[in-house]
Amino acid sequence: MQTETASPSPAPAAGELTLSANAAARIRKIVASEGNPDLKLRLSVSGGGCSGFQYGFTLDDSQGHDDLIIERDGAALVIDTLSAEYMRGSEIDFVEDLSGAGFQIRNPLATASCGCGNSFAI
């Protein structure tokens, strides 16, 4: 008799944007506190900041025709395709330490970033 074994989850494809378990948990907590289960965390990249580009986070209950949705553990992050180009291979994490708490982006495309981590250069 053969038994099936669960195969491990595939590694993210090169260029794929991912959410950490901590980020997913925080998104779920934020959405629950807002009382609107349709909300998603929207990540955007715009010109500005001390390094040339800056990250932006907002809550959004809509999805544009060019938006990508990244889901993990019941949480959703939305990003438009143009912003996603600047984020290829990045991981969105949520970190709590002595200096505070917030979303942290590990962006392999960034050649420089500011001290606070909210802006970057490519």
Side-chain angles (χ1 to χ4, degrees):
M1 174 177 202
Q2 286 187 340
T3 59
E4 289 185 29
T5 58
S7 59
S9 298
E16 187 175 316
L17 183 65
T18 58
L19 283 174
S20 72
N22 285 342
R26 180 54 73 155
I27 292 168
R28 285 192 314 272
K29 185 175 182 177
I30 292 168
V31 169
S33 72
E34 292 292 320
N36 180 352
D38 294 330
L39 287 175
K40 298 166 187 64
L41 184 67
R42 178 172 290 280
L43 171 60
S44 61
V45 174
S46 60
C50 48
S51 297
F53 294 99
Q54 61 188 5
Y55 302 115
F57 290 99
T58 57
L59 293 174
D60 199 341
D61 62 359
S62 63
Q63 179 182 345
H65 69 280
D66 70 335
D67 284 343
L68 304 173
I69 296 182
I70 294 86
E71 295 180 310
R72 179 172 182 165
D73 303 333
L77 178 121
V78 179
I79 185 169
D80 64 272
T81 54
L82 182 59
S83 294
E85 286 299 312
Y86 295 101
M87 303 292 299
R88 287 189 318 258
S90 295
E91 180 187 39
I92 313 313
D93 194 9
F94 186 83
V95 177
E96 292 182 87
D97 58 26
L98 293 175
S99 62
F103 288 100
Q104 183 180 80
I105 299 173
R106 293 181 192 94
N107 186 341
L109 299 178
T111 58
S113 64
C114 66
C116 66
N118 289 329
S119 67
F120 66 101
I122 292 183

